[in-house]
Amino acid sequence: SLRPSIHYRPINPDDLDRLEQIHRDIFPIKYESEFFQCVVNGVGIVSWAAVDRSRPDGHSDELIGFVTAKFVLAKESEIDDLICYDSSKGEETLIYILTLGVVETYRNHGIAMSLISEVIKYASGLSMCRGVYLHVIAHNNPAICLYKRLMFRCVRRLNGFYLIKRQHFDAFLFVYFINGS
Ligand code: ACO
């Protein structure tokens, strides 16, 4: 088979079905169709797709990975206490990563790392953005390793944060600080 040739691009409305399918396949939590509509139309959400240009037969633009995120006002976020404020400059923001996923056959090639790097690069270019943060379920070692390697800091353990099939699971809160925070 051909060598993978991974490219990164924005998510668009043609990605809708595939995006929903991958979410269903890899996450234990159900996402509403409104969420997917917002992602593909870029309504309040920023996102990046990974595709493998070397795939034949019309699959060369099909999603194999994605990251979705939204803006949050730092003051209204749950990490308000960790942000240094400089009120002269306006309203500080944060980027909150909602979902990150790579289809199984493409894992361990650095694709998630590149997707998160895209988010950090984007956030770093915004003068009011103080960081990127996310929650991850406490037993998700591949994801936790990834965030640690990318220099995210684990700032909290949240007891029973996730409710999955009537069972509670803890979450870690990871933050990547930007612009002096
Ligand atoms: N060659 C070989 N190995 C590599 C390369 C490379 N070029 N680049 C990175 N790696 C290794 C890394 O060292 C890392 O190994 P280690 O952490 O075990 O030491 C490993 O590959 C994983 O890094 P990536 O390849 O960047 O990650 P991947 O693309 O496999 O995706 C992810 C990781 C997203 C967690 C994937 O496993 C997944 O989709 N899981 C299911 C969904 C999920 O858990 N998502 C995250 C939930 S948290 C949230 O959504 C906010």
Side-chain angles (χ1 to χ4, degrees):
S1 67
L2 286 164
R3 208 163 161 265
S5 166
I6 311 301
H7 286 242
Y8 300 90
R9 62 161 176 78
I11 293 178
N12 67 58
D14 291 338
D15 296 318
L16 182 63
D17 291 347
R18 186 74 188 130
L19 185 73
E20 290 200 51
Q21 190 197 333
I22 305 175
H23 274 73
R24 267 198 311 274
D25 290 348
I26 70 175
F27 294 119
I29 295 167
K30 188 178 181 289
Y31 291 87
E32 300 302 323
S33 68
E34 193 194 331
F35 166 70
F36 298 109
Q37 286 296 339
C38 289
V39 174
V40 302
N41 294 301
V43 179
I45 291 190
V46 286
S47 66
W48 287 261
V51 299
D52 178 3
R53 295 265 187 254
S54 74
R55 288 178 75 191
D57 305 328
H59 291 290
S60 65
D61 197 44
E62 188 178 284
L63 293 201
I64 53 142
F66 56 82
V67 60
T68 67
K70 68 174 179 179
F71 282 96
V72 175
L73 290 178
K75 254 190 269 172
E76 292 172 5
S77 78
E78 66 191 290
I79 53 166
D80 170 55
D81 55 318
L82 302 177
I83 307 300
C84 308
Y85 291 99
D86 177 356
S87 54
S88 63
K89 288 186 187 157
E91 193 88 281
E92 280 90 350
T93 63
L94 294 167
I95 289 185
Y96 178 67
I97 294 184
L98 293 157
T99 62
L100 165 74
V102 173
V103 303
E104 227 168 308
T105 49
Y106 280 91
R107 288 185 191 163
N108 298 314
H109 286 81
I111 294 172
M113 205 171 211
S114 297
L115 286 164
I116 298 292
S117 301
E118 292 288 327
V119 179
I120 290 173
K121 196 167 50 174
Y122 170 75
S124 303
L126 306 169
S127 64
M128 299 316 296
C129 189
R130 292 312 186 90
V132 177
Y133 74 108
L134 56 89
H135 294 105
V136 57
I137 201 161
H139 59 247
N140 189 345
N141 291 324
I144 290 165
C145 284
L146 172 76
Y147 300 132
K148 286 186 175 163
R149 224 173 327 102
L150 284 165
M151 308 307 284
F152 277 73
R153 281 197 244 154
C154 185
V155 298
R156 234 159 255 168
R157 183 178 184 122
L158 302 163
N159 284 317
F161 180 83
Y162 290 106
L163 180 62
I164 299 165
K165 292 180 179 157
R166 302 162 88 203
Q167 228 193 309
H168 288 278
F169 296 91
D170 293 356
F172 291 122
L173 200 165
F174 277 91
V175 188
Y176 183 96
F177 291 103
I178 292 169
N179 299 327
S181 263

